[in-house]
Amino acid sequence: MKKLLLPMLAIGGLLSLQPALAEDGPSLFKSKPCAACHQIDSKFVGPSLKEVAAKYAGTEGAVELLAGHIKNGTQGNWGPMPMPQNPVTEEEAKILAEWVLSLK
């Protein structure tokens, strides 16, 4: 038993040091409910992601603003249709916001 325990603990320790696999914007977009209302190039239920990028281009604090809208939802920025909260972490919301703002 001891012969197995020490190597198992060592392997577990090494694996815990591995950096988490970072998700990228396009992968997160596809894995979350974003695509149910948004498309990249054209208006669907909500504005296209390129329209969002254009609206907030050059806006100070745009990443944080969009990340908050993605995570917590919003209403009235693009008309009467509300954007619901999304099941994303703070980090995922920031990754999505940075990606959206990079679209041209």
Side-chain angles (χ1 to χ4, degrees):
M1 178 78 170
K2 287 183 184 178
K3 288 182 181 182
L4 288 176
L5 185 58
L6 188 56
M8 295 287 275
L9 288 173
I11 290 171
L14 288 173
L15 290 175
S16 69
L17 294 176
Q18 293 284 328
L21 293 175
E23 295 246 23
D24 63 351
S27 296
L28 278 173
F29 177 73
K30 291 174 187 170
S31 71
K32 302 296 180 180
C34 309
C37 295
H38 296 281
Q39 294 182 354
I40 294 173
D41 294 314
S42 59
K43 181 174 177 19
F44 190 48
V45 174
S48 75
L49 299 183
K50 288 185 177 183
E51 287 177 297
V52 175
K55 180 176 181 175
Y56 293 103
T59 302
E60 188 174 330
V63 171
E64 292 78 17
L65 178 70
L66 286 179
H69 289 182
I70 292 166
K71 181 161 178 54
N72 304 315
T74 187
Q75 184 171 0
N77 293 332
W78 295 91
M81 180 66 74
M83 179 170 147
Q85 295 178 345
N86 284 284
V88 295
T89 66
E90 298 280 336
E91 183 63 25
E92 289 172 332
K94 184 177 177 187
I95 291 168
L96 283 164
E98 289 172 344
W99 173 66
V100 168
L101 290 170
S102 75
L103 299 172
K104 295 185 171 59

